[in-house]
Structures are given as C-alpha cells and as structure tokens.
Amino acid sequence: TPSPSSETSSSSHLLLCPPGIKCGGVLSAPSGNFSSPNFPGLYPYETECTWLIVVAEGSSVLLSFSHFELEYHAACAYDYLQVYNGASRDQGNLLGTFCGHSPPPPFSSAWHVMAVIFRSDRHVAKHGFAAAYRKDACGGQLTGLSGEITSPRYPESYPNDAECRWSIGGAGGGGPLTLVFTDFQVEGGQGCGFDYVALFDGPTAAAPSLGRYCGSARPPRTVSSAPHLLVIFKSDFNIGGRGFKAHFYSAGECQEVFTTIKGNFSSPRYPNFYPNNLKCQWSIQLPLGYRIKVFFLDMELEGRSSLTGGCDYDHLSAFDSGAENGSLLGQWCGRESLAPVTSHSNQLLLILHTDRNTAKRGFSIAYVGVVPMNVSCTRTDFHIQIPVQSLAGLERNRIYLGSPSCAAQVVGSTFKIHTRFDTCSTESQKRNNTSVIVSTLYIDFSAGEQEDIHQYEVQCEPKRKEASVTLIAGPDSSRLSQAENLVDAQQWEGEEMDIREVKSQDTSDIVFISICILAGLLMVIAVVGLVLL
C-alpha cells in the first residue's frame, strides 16, 4: 500500500481498530445478514474478517450484497472482499475479489459452505458492505466453468410440490453450455404433465425450449446455443421418484474438440490456478489410420493421496477411442515430468477432474497426429508408403525424403518413395556400434504464410534389413527433444498394402542366391556323373 499522501482519504481523522473488535464468525442459520465492522460507518484500518456460512448439507448458499463501498484499486490490492466457493482459502475456490463501489453479483455456492473474507489496510476507510444469505434447497445461479446439479434429497425421493430453477452461466464464459444427465427417474406421464425437468436455451423460461423430460429414460446430451442455460424441475402433489443427477460444462476453456493434425490446449486459466469442482474434456479426432501423440509440456496438479498413493483428488486421464469407456492410457496428478503418450486409434479423450479444494497451476499439452506409413528397407534401398486418403489435399511434392527432388509418387491410392541409399541426402552413421543409414522424411502441411512441416527420421540397418521411423518434429520441435520410436505405431488397420512392394528384396541379393543354388546343383550333377562313369 502506498503512503497516505498517495491515496485520497475519505476521512480527516484517523480510524483505529477498537481493541477487541469482533467481526466474522460461523453463520449456520438457514438465512441471515452480516456487514463490515461499524457499518454503515467507516470500517476500521488493518482489519481482517472471515465469515464462514454453513447450511444444511445438500443445499447451496445464495449470497447477495445490498451495499458495497470499499477503497478502489485496479487490482484490489488495498482493501478488498473475497468470496470463496467452500471453506478454504484456495485459489481454485475463489469466486472473485472485489473493491470500489460496484457491488459483487449474487452468488450461489456449489455446495453447502461459502466463505467471505474482508480485509482493510492502514489507509483510507470507506463505509464497507452489507450482505445477506439464505439457504436454497434447490436451484440457484451457477457461474462456474463446470458443475453438478441434483434434485432435492437425491438419491432419496424428491419432495412433492417442489419447484427448482438453476440458471447456469453468465460469469465471463462465452461458449455454449453442455448438460449431461448421469441418472434420471422422475414420475412419468403423457406430455410430462405431472413431474418434469424442462430445459431452456437462455437465462429465462422465455428462451427457446430445449426439451421437457420425465420417466426413467435419461434425457439426451443437451448443448445450448448461448452461454446461458435454464433448468427447471417441478413436482406435483403425489408420486415421486429418485430424481436426477446431471453435470454441466462450458465449451472453450473446459470442453473442446480438435480435428486438426496438430494442436495445443491447457487447463482453464493456465498458468494461473485452475478452478475447483471441474470436469473438463478435450477430444482429439483425426482421420482413420492416424494415431495421436500427446506431449506434456507442463503439468502441476494436486498431489497423490497420502493414504492410497493414487490420484484420488485432482487428476488428468487419457482414454483411447475417444470415450470414457475406452481403454485408459494413463492417469496423472501432482507435479511430474511425463513421457509422451501415443494412442492406439485415431481418437483420444482427455478429462480433467478437480475436487473442492487445493488447486494448482494446471497443465499445457501439445499433440500431433502420427501419419500412418509403412517404412521398409533392403541392403540398398528405402521403401516408404503412405495412404493418399490420410494426407487428403496434399500434393505429392509436399512429401519428400531428404530433399524436394526426392518427392513421392502416386501409385493407385498410395504415396510411394522408393530410393537408393546413395541419394536423397541419406547418410551412414554408427549407433550402438551398428552401422545404420539415416534420412529425414518431410511432410509439408503448410498453408499460406503459416509453416507447418512434420519431420520423421527413417532409419535402416542394412545387414538385418530392418527399418524404423521416428517423429522428430511436429507440434514444436524445440519442445520435442524426447522422440519416441514409432515402429509399432505404423501398423495399418484396415489398409491393404502392396505386400510385394513392402517386402521387396534387393535384386542383387536374389541374383547372388540364385547363382549359389545353380552352382550347387551343377556340382551335384558332376559328382553323380563321375560316380556313374
């Protein structure tokens, strides 16, 4: 805080915090009011107050402000009020920091606890704030990037004559909202005239309807066209059910689909702390034949459980085949340096789960599609084949070995490169005391002024006629220092290859073997002739 002369004081006399002043505390009544010390007078200097609002479990807290006047600073670095979605001072729970004359918006907690912290420094006092809270048995305004809603008393039977409204969105998220029901059992009836859940594409019931549901069939996944979604649950005077459970998430920061050959994404608010209570997902969907290689550029999540040693709190999971019921490729937490992960198919789903507290910096990820190809070699030649459909739109001169003069040829539905070792910038090297032939395969995806060239190192051990291919530059060559051998990643599923070409042998070897066999036969004939004579 600067010196008194650099701030404009609202009072000519010095306000000292009276000895023994009390502020803050635990508020456990179903509803109540609280305010800054001395309100509506000027609050004292160097004061810190914490109010912990605790209502019945299964309910949420609705918080609103009727008056608000604190010292202003662009970053609220002097006097401020903070609202937390939970009990702890965890950055992931922080709903906002406020100062100045503009009151905070109404807040609804994600569970039954909310914390409010007020702090003043040693200069400039204002009149402070007045706030009110109440327990909301169901419904409320939900402003997080993701969250969960349930019917009253879920999973027990919901009460009769209930009416709940959840207004989702409107806290800076600009993308559509997705709502997914994981459980649903509501009294049925023709036209859903008794108990029902109604969805609206906006903040009020005047918005277009997205559906009205009852019975035991789960409603379909619903996506809004705007960053607002209204959910209304209503029950009549008799016959109930288990109710429902659903989760929502915002597109953009918390839910994205990637179809480009390479890309980058990160956890919400990265490199700042991610929010708590998230379920975010990123889906990568590439053409058939591709596999997806993921590089962890940075990762810091909440650490492992000290009891189980597992990632029981915040964690990132990767699923093959693009669905949660697919094969789990890995689950990570804490602060680790991770090796790249490669999918077994052309689709990959990554899901970030965060719990109610202890947020961290999050993660940054890059991915690249591994082009399906078959690389083989003889003692003198390289043979490379790539399905044309996997590089749709690319001209053959965008695919070359060593230099553009060694571009691929189109043979049927395949790009093919067949070249001798003494051409196409190949070179001989010693690796692990073994002589190998090495060259670089370039695939140029560049568009306009944006350069995008993927590089694969192709290698042959001539004596054993064994070839391998390794991705050496994709999303960011400066970050991909750890190349992973992709030999077993190059199996084509559903692609028929020209086996004769793949397994072609050096003709000089075949001639040599044929001469040896012929010489052996002539020798046997000569010996037999001598014996007969």
Side-chain angles (χ1 to χ4, degrees):
T1 299
S3 64
S5 61
S6 64
E7 296 184 20
T8 304
S9 177
S10 63
S11 174
S12 60
H13 61 280
L14 183 66
L15 281 178
L16 294 175
C17 184
I21 189 170
K22 292 184 178 181
C23 65
V26 177
L27 306 175
S28 56
S31 63
N33 300 274
F34 61 98
S35 59
S36 52
N38 295 339
F39 182 82
L42 301 177
Y43 52 73
Y45 299 129
E46 296 189 296
T47 298
E48 183 168 323
C49 312
T50 299
W51 291 269
L52 189 64
I53 306 170
V54 183
V55 297
E57 192 163 356
S59 301
S60 61
V61 179
L62 294 180
L63 177 68
S64 60
F65 293 84
S66 57
H67 184 86
F68 192 84
E69 184 189 356
L70 273 60
E71 178 187 8
Y72 175 77
H73 180 263
C76 295
Y78 304 151
D79 301 351
Y80 59 82
L81 181 135
Q82 292 180 318
V83 181
Y84 286 87
N85 193 10
S88 67
R89 294 193 187 188
D90 188 290
Q91 289 298 309
N93 283 334
L94 182 63
L95 294 174
T97 300
F98 307 94
C99 61
H101 291 76
S102 298
F107 284 109
S108 177
S109 66
W111 50 92
H112 69 292
V113 179
M114 180 177 276
V116 179
I117 296 175
F118 166 70
R119 185 184 182 281
S120 65
D121 65 3
R122 66 179 63 188
H123 308 293
V124 184
K126 299 287 184 179
H127 292 282
F129 68 90
Y133 77 91
R134 65 181 176 88
K135 181 188 79 168
D136 188 35
C138 64
Q141 184 167 347
L142 305 174
T143 56
L145 290 174
S146 75
E148 185 177 271
I149 59 175
T150 60
S151 52
R153 302 177 185 170
Y154 177 88
E156 304 297 327
S157 288
Y158 53 78
N160 295 327
D161 298 315
E163 182 170 346
C164 312
R165 292 171 176 251
W166 292 269
S167 179
I168 305 172
L177 292 160
T178 299
L179 181 69
V180 180
F181 286 86
T182 55
D183 190 17
F184 195 85
Q185 187 188 51
V186 174
E187 179 189 4
Q190 188 172 6
C192 294
F194 305 128
D195 301 352
Y196 61 85
V197 172
L199 309 177
F200 296 90
D201 195 8
T204 69
S209 173
L210 293 174
R212 182 166 170 152
Y213 304 98
C214 59
S216 57
R218 280 188 298 172
R221 177 188 296 257
T222 300
V223 181
S224 69
S225 63
H228 293 278
L229 184 67
L230 177 66
V231 181
I232 296 179
F233 168 65
K234 195 172 187 314
S235 64
D236 64 5
F237 62 90
N238 64 2
I239 306 178
R242 185 171 64 248
F244 67 87
K245 180 178 182 181
H247 67 267
F248 68 88
Y249 51 85
S250 172
E253 271 198 288
C254 196
Q255 194 264 348
E256 294 182 88
V257 177
F258 298 93
T259 57
T260 54
I261 299 301
K262 69 174 185 177
N264 297 269
F265 56 91
S266 56
S267 51
R269 301 178 184 170
Y270 176 86
N272 298 315
F273 284 16
Y274 51 76
N276 288 322
N277 200 36
L278 286 180
K279 182 182 181 182
C280 299
Q281 55 187 38
W282 296 266
S283 176
I284 306 172
Q285 302 170 7
L286 299 187
L288 284 172
Y290 275 83
R291 289 166 54 144
I292 301 156
K293 189 171 184 181
V294 173
F295 300 87
F296 299 91
L297 307 181
D298 182 31
M299 191 176 82
E300 184 184 10
L301 305 180
E302 184 179 3
R304 294 178 179 273
S305 166
S306 59
L307 296 177
T308 66
C311 294
D312 299 340
Y313 309 132
D314 300 350
H315 58 266
L316 178 69
S317 304
F319 298 90
D320 214 346
S321 303
E324 284 189 74
N325 58 4
S327 174
L328 180 65
L329 295 176
Q331 188 175 89
W332 307 279
C333 58
R335 186 173 184 174
E336 301 175 9
S337 179
L338 301 175
V341 172
T342 303
S343 69
H344 298 102
S345 70
N346 63 316
Q347 296 189 54
L348 185 69
L349 178 67
L350 290 108
I351 297 180
L352 171 67
H353 283 273
T354 67
D355 62 8
R356 295 184 177 184
N357 50 40
T358 315
K360 296 293 183 179
R361 185 173 68 247
F363 65 82
S364 175
I365 279 177
Y367 77 87
V368 61
V370 179
V371 176
M373 67 180 74
N374 188 289
V375 177
S376 61
C377 68
T378 67
R379 292 187 179 182
T380 59
D381 298 8
F382 271 123
H383 300 270
I384 301 171
Q385 298 184 85
I386 304 173
V388 169
Q389 69 175 21
S390 68
L391 298 176
L394 283 191
E395 299 292 333
R396 67 174 187 85
N397 59 359
R398 296 286 198 97
I399 306 146
Y400 54 89
L401 186 68
S403 66
S405 61
C406 293
Q409 302 296 320
V410 179
V411 180
S413 60
T414 306
F415 288 116
K416 292 187 178 183
I417 297 177
H418 181 185
T419 183
R420 295 183 63 83
F421 292 157
D422 55 2
T423 60
C424 300
S425 303
T426 57
E427 60 180 38
S428 178
Q429 297 182 6
K430 278 277 190 181
R431 296 187 179 179
N432 298 323
N433 295 320
T434 301
S435 294
V436 294
I437 304 297
V438 177
S439 188
T440 302
L441 175 68
Y442 297 89
I443 303 178
D444 187 355
F445 292 98
S446 301
E449 297 181 358
Q450 185 67 38
E451 184 178 276
D452 183 11
I453 302 176
H454 295 200
Q455 300 175 35
Y456 294 79
E457 182 186 81
V458 291
Q459 175 182 313
C460 177
E461 189 179 337
K463 286 186 177 179
R464 304 178 64 174
K465 302 176 191 175
E466 290 185 352
S468 63
V469 56
T470 304
L471 175 69
I472 56 174
D476 185 346
S477 56
S478 66
R479 305 297 296 270
L480 304 187
S481 57
Q482 185 176 9
E484 179 182 54
N485 194 285
L486 301 177
V487 178
D488 19 349
Q490 308 307 322
Q491 303 302 316
W492 292 13
E493 298 178 8
E495 290 290 338
E496 293 186 1
M497 296 294 297
D498 183 350
I499 302 301
R500 290 172 297 174
E501 179 68 14
V502 175
K503 297 183 177 179
S504 63
Q505 300 293 318
D506 185 2
T507 53
S508 60
D509 291 347
I510 297 173
V511 171
F512 176 75
I513 294 171
S514 300
I515 292 172
C516 291
I517 293 173
L518 181 59
L521 289 173
L522 291 174
M523 184 176 295
V524 171
I525 293 171
V527 171
V528 171
L530 289 172
V531 171
L532 293 176
L533 291 175

